[in-house]
Amino acid sequence: GKADRFYPDPAVGLSAQQVEQRMREGLHNGDSGIKSKTEGQIIWENVFTFFNLLNFALALAVILVGSPRSALFMGVIFSNIVIGSFQGIRAKHTIDKLSLISSPKAQVIRGGQPLTIQVEDVVLDDILVFSAGNQICADATVAAGECEVNESLLTGESDPIVKQPGDPLLSGSFVVSGSCQAQVERGGAESYANKIAGEASGVKKRSSEIMNSIDFIVKIIGFGIVPIGGLLFWKQYFVLGDAFQN
């Protein structure tokens, strides 16, 4: 369910008990929850594909019977793994840089006192204090004062926008002039900037007729190779009495 909202006086802010309650409820800015895959996971996913495992098995078979030259096709497989991993890791680094909220500290008013706290410790309904040059670290609504905000990182709008009491402030934007107190509306993974970054970090699976058909063919052939190969081996070795090597 929705949390009970507090509407603190902009000059006083939340009391220590209210902040404690929010922390207990988990309604703090916390970790945005945006996680890209680790480099290890990316490499693992590129190595252990169905197609690769099939090729590893075939290479092992030809090496075991003393024909390593027949395993040269593995060069293509290894190149594929290296290229796929490299591209995946490069994409991961790009997404990691995309975190729009880089502001490490936030100014708040709690119990009538101005405090400087970590951005992660900002809670729902906190009164944040913004002045020129500050980055907005959580979605909020102006409660008192007036400022101009640059939202170009989020919306592409390059002109500063005047914000008065009641107007929304979006996380990831910057205050260019003026100062205001603002009440936090959303934080953490719910905030606007983190939703943008979150959508960017979700890997969209490519989907095309050709790729889907190739995947389908590879799977059919792959699953077919094992029983057919087994039958052929049985015929040559047991029925025709061929040498194991052949």
Side-chain angles (χ1 to χ4, degrees):
K2 277 259 184 247
D4 292 333
R5 295 298 300 269
F6 304 134
Y7 295 96
D9 179 330
V12 181
L14 297 179
S15 67
Q17 288 88 345
Q18 289 173 318
V19 172
E20 212 169 286
Q21 182 185 329
R22 285 289 187 245
M23 285 295 189
R24 274 202 313 275
E25 293 169 334
L27 298 170
H28 52 87
N29 228 10
D31 185 3
S32 66
I34 293 160
K35 291 278 177 282
S36 56
K37 289 174 184 167
T38 65
E39 293 175 4
Q41 282 172 319
I42 292 168
I43 293 168
W44 178 271
E45 283 177 9
N46 277 286
V47 172
F48 295 101
T49 64
F50 172 70
F51 187 65
N52 285 358
L53 293 174
L54 193 63
N55 281 288
F56 289 140
L58 294 173
L60 188 65
V62 294
I63 289 166
L64 283 177
V65 297
S67 178
R69 261 204 319 211
S70 301
L72 286 176
F73 64 87
M74 285 307 290
V76 177
I77 304 302
F78 285 124
S79 304
N80 215 359
I81 291 170
V82 170
I83 292 165
S85 301
F86 173 75
Q87 287 180 327
I89 289 168
R90 201 170 60 172
K92 168 202 156 54
H93 288 169
T94 306
I95 288 166
D96 289 349
K97 278 187 202 148
L98 201 120
S99 181
L100 295 174
I101 303 175
S102 52
S103 166
K105 293 269 193 284
Q107 308 284 334
V108 292
I109 295 176
R110 287 179 176 173
Q113 299 297 313
L115 299 170
T116 301
I117 61 170
Q118 296 289 333
V119 165
E120 296 84 63
D121 297 331
V122 171
V123 300
L124 181 69
D125 295 323
D126 244 334
I127 297 293
L128 291 166
V129 181
F130 296 118
S131 52
N134 289 159
Q135 188 182 27
I136 292 159
C137 57
D139 293 355
T141 302
V142 179
E146 187 178 299
C147 60
E148 281 191 309
V149 171
N150 179 326
E151 293 182 349
S152 60
L153 260 179
L154 302 168
T155 61
E157 170 57 69
S158 56
D159 293 335
I161 296 153
V162 176
K163 302 282 185 177
Q164 292 168 322
D167 289 342
L169 298 173
L170 297 175
S171 56
S173 52
F174 289 87
V175 177
V176 246
S177 69
S179 63
C180 69
Q181 280 98 297
Q183 181 174 335
V184 175
E185 295 288 338
R186 280 181 302 277
E190 287 296 298
S191 69
Y192 187 75
N194 284 334
K195 280 191 169 154
I196 290 179
E199 281 167 19
S201 68
V203 178
K204 305 281 184 288
K205 190 150 169 43
R206 46 129 187 88
S207 182
S208 72
E209 283 292 315
I210 290 179
M211 287 312 292
N212 292 343
S213 303
I214 290 173
D215 282 349
F216 180 67
I217 291 167
V218 165
K219 283 206 171 74
I220 295 291
I221 292 172
F223 284 119
I225 276 175
V226 181
I228 292 167
L231 277 171
L232 287 172
F233 177 78
W234 175 80
K235 188 190 111 179
Q236 297 284 113
Y237 189 67
F238 291 106
V239 181
L240 301 178
D242 227 342
F244 181 74
Q245 219 101 333
N246 291 347

